[in-house]
Amino acid sequence: MPEKENTGRESARKLLDFIQKSPDSFHAAENAAEMLRKHGFARLREDRPWEISPGGDYYVMRNGSSLIAFSIPEQSFSGFQIICSHTDSPSFKIKAVPELQGNGYIRLNVEKYGGAILAPWFDRPLSAAGRLLVRTPNGVNSVLVNIDRDLLIIPSLAIHLNREANDGYKYRIQKDLCPLYAEAAQGRTFLSLAAGEAGVREEDLLGADLCLYNRQKGTFLGAEGEFIASPRLDDLQCLFSSLQGFLRAENSRSIRMFCAFDNEEVGSRSRQGAASTFLPYTLERIVRGIGGGREKLMTALASSFIISADNAHAVHPAYPEKSDAENRPRMNGGIVIKYNAGQKYTTDARSAAVVKLLCERAEVPWQTYVNHSDVAGGSTLGNILNAQVSPYTVDIGLAQLAMHSPCETAGARDGRYLELMAEEFYSSYLLADENENLTLVRA
Ligand code: CO
């Protein structure tokens, strides 16, 4: 087995461990922050003046679920090299009053978060994770919680009671998707259990942002272990792989940024989403922090590049007719460059050319995705970010099947490809001439 394949497997194993520790957007952001701290990154607060200096490595969080990390070169910089991914995944959010009583049982009351595929949530062990808001003497604290055991299940209706179960079934969230939590006779409320797990008192709880998650651990599949199956590959595969490349890169001439936003699955329009002020304010504060003004910010942005990294649809072997005839990625085929004439993806010929160049230099394969012209397709971060800040931008991803299922399938080697491409990207800087011809310099 060639060296690259071995390290691909090692990267995938680390990715699966990261995903298992990250059942929700809060844990994903916190685990990314933990890796940054281990690499010497210092935390900045949005509510304090920033003291930053050339050569420094920093990160800042918003809401505990979105994160931006950046490294400032020692010498003057030309622009920003940015990769963005998202921390959230489709799930079910537990409602404010969480319990439903009836028929001798307690179920949890949930609403859908994002465009989940519903059927695979049934009949498998689930649990809940997120954050609790806890009363303090003078205010309220946020505490992460993961009830790290098999706790919940959404049972199917037996086929004897629904003979049409295999004929296509329309699920109703309120009726069908509320998971079984307990026997009514037992006394432990769900919130007391969550509070106990977090080490806080139930009477001090003032709120909770909790969602369901699939307990299944990620695993290798296929004759040679060439596939991985795991929850939340969209988009933690891109998040983790781009973070690995970010942490390994060195760059003397551009500011490297790693961004991970919450709420992509519900349109990014939240305080911490990609459509918020988080990225533009951070860019401005970095430039001001190292003594630059608005003119420096504008000129830097004009020679900056954003890679919006969010997973892509591999051709499904049973549904090839859903893919374009030629622009149909496959798992383990490398970086997927995503195009859409309607600009749901920001990629144009120029930004795609930059990615192809990066892939060539990193010696990783690339492939192209364009929707089948009669299939609507999805959307992602890139064009939302471009409404905030507008450097050169591209949309890429890694090919996967079953997107938005609680268990998704991807290629075991592709994460490593993105790590290598991201490292190459972060180790380079961009120069543009008056005709927007680009030079990509290895720093
Ligand atoms: Co996604």
Side-chain angles (χ1 to χ4, degrees):
M1 197 180 267
E3 200 269 336
K4 217 170 238 181
E5 318 264 307
N6 276 324
T7 51
R9 203 176 163 82
E10 194 46 41
S11 294
R13 198 182 307 281
K14 287 181 185 157
L15 164 69
L16 297 180
D17 289 344
F18 179 85
I19 291 176
Q20 202 193 359
K21 305 190 289 193
S22 307
D24 60 89
S25 58
F26 299 101
H27 284 87
E30 177 51 33
N31 289 324
E34 175 68 22
M35 287 167 64
L36 290 160
R37 286 192 293 270
K38 279 190 181 141
H39 282 79
F41 281 70
R43 182 164 186 180
L44 297 170
R45 291 171 49 167
E46 284 200 286
D47 63 338
R48 293 286 159 86
W50 286 6
E51 290 184 18
I52 58 178
S53 47
D57 297 323
Y58 307 94
Y59 74 97
V60 56
M61 297 178 83
R62 191 182 277 190
N63 190 50
S65 61
S66 290
L67 178 150
I68 298 178
F70 56 92
S71 288
I72 303 172
E74 293 282 358
Q75 44 181 311
S76 71
F77 73 101
S78 61
F80 301 92
Q81 298 282 94
I82 305 171
I83 303 183
C84 299
S85 56
H86 63 89
T87 55
D88 62 324
S89 308
S91 179
F92 296 88
K93 178 133 194 243
I94 297 171
K95 291 185 179 177
V97 175
E99 294 183 7
L100 297 168
Q101 304 270 353
N103 306 295
Y105 305 114
I106 301 170
R107 292 186 302 154
L108 293 188
N109 197 4
V110 298
E111 60 178 329
K112 190 161 72 75
Y113 177 87
I117 300 179
L118 301 177
W121 282 90
F122 284 78
D123 305 322
R124 56 170 73 213
L126 306 173
S127 192
R131 70 171 171 190
L132 302 177
L133 275 295
V134 185
R135 187 196 318 277
T136 64
N138 296 309
V140 59
N141 279 356
S142 173
V143 180
L144 289 188
V145 63
N146 173 12
I147 305 172
D148 192 9
R149 67 176 172 92
D150 298 343
L151 179 72
L152 307 163
I153 198 159
I154 304 169
S156 291
L157 182 61
I159 193 152
H160 316 82
L161 307 181
N162 176 19
R163 292 290 176 187
E164 286 83 49
N166 294 326
D167 300 336
Y169 185 75
K170 181 158 172 46
Y171 297 104
R172 292 148 296 179
I173 309 296
Q174 189 77 50
K175 184 171 181 64
D176 294 311
L177 270 297
C178 292
L180 182 65
Y181 164 63
E183 293 178 334
Q186 72 84 45
R188 192 96 199 254
T189 67
F190 172 71
L191 286 177
S192 86
L193 191 136
E197 198 69 30
V200 301
R201 297 189 317 173
E202 186 189 6
E203 55 269 35
D204 290 333
L205 284 189
L206 291 174
D209 287 316
L210 298 172
C211 66
L212 304 186
Y213 71 93
N214 173 14
R215 292 283 298 164
Q216 184 177 354
K217 191 171 164 19
T219 187
F220 289 84
L221 301 170
E224 303 280 350
E226 63 268 48
F227 306 124
I228 49 175
S230 168
R232 299 180 296 285
L233 289 169
D234 170 16
D235 190 27
L236 297 187
Q237 190 179 23
C238 283
L239 185 156
F240 183 82
S241 305
S242 60
L243 181 54
Q244 295 296 310
F246 176 75
L247 291 171
R248 276 200 293 270
E250 302 250 333
N251 194 331
S252 56
R253 289 302 307 277
S254 70
I255 294 179
R256 290 179 281 132
M257 297 182 81
F258 162 83
C259 306
F261 295 103
D262 196 1
N263 302 132
E264 189 275 341
E265 300 294 358
V266 291
S268 296
R269 299 192 187 286
S270 63
R271 185 180 154 253
Q272 58 280 346
S276 75
T277 54
F278 192 27
L279 179 61
Y281 282 11
T282 301
L283 290 164
E284 186 166 345
R285 296 181 76 173
I286 293 170
V287 173
R288 287 179 187 278
I290 52 177
R294 194 150 176 87
E295 184 68 7
K296 176 62 188 171
L297 175 63
M298 299 298 125
T299 53
L301 282 172
S303 51
S304 295
F305 201 96
I306 295 181
I307 295 178
S308 158
D310 195 1
N311 269 2
H313 303 297
V315 58
H316 193 299
Y319 296 91
E321 72 277 11
K322 293 288 184 184
S323 294
D324 179 68
E326 297 295 337
N327 300 280
R328 46 170 62 189
R330 63 175 180 80
M331 295 181 286
N332 291 317
I335 307 301
V336 179
I337 306 172
K338 299 152 86 171
Y339 298 79
N340 178 249
Q343 297 296 306
K344 281 186 178 171
Y345 303 132
T346 55
T347 311
D348 60 14
R350 175 170 29 226
S351 62
V354 169
V355 171
K356 291 175 188 176
L357 211 55
L358 289 167
C359 288
E360 262 174 44
R361 290 181 186 177
E363 295 179 34
V364 304
W366 54 266
Q367 47 189 339
T368 56
Y369 177 88
V370 191
N371 287 332
H372 184 288
S373 302
D374 302 319
V375 176
S379 61
T380 180
L381 297 163
N383 62 355
I384 289 168
L385 289 165
N386 270 182
Q388 308 297 310
V389 285
S390 319
Y392 300 108
T393 308
V394 72
D395 276 282
I396 65 153
L398 298 174
Q400 68 160 93
L401 295 173
M403 190 178 286
H404 292 189
S405 168
C407 181
E408 301 172 322
T409 298
R413 300 194 292 277
D414 282 327
R416 175 66 179 160
Y417 293 145
L418 180 51
E419 289 178 14
L420 292 167
M421 193 276 258
E423 183 178 351
E424 184 66 34
F425 172 72
Y426 282 127
S427 303
S428 307
Y429 65 93
L430 197 71
L431 297 172
D433 76 6
E434 69 274 26
N435 297 316
E436 300 194 60
N437 294 313
L438 304 181
T439 309
L440 194 65
V441 188
R442 176 83 192 200

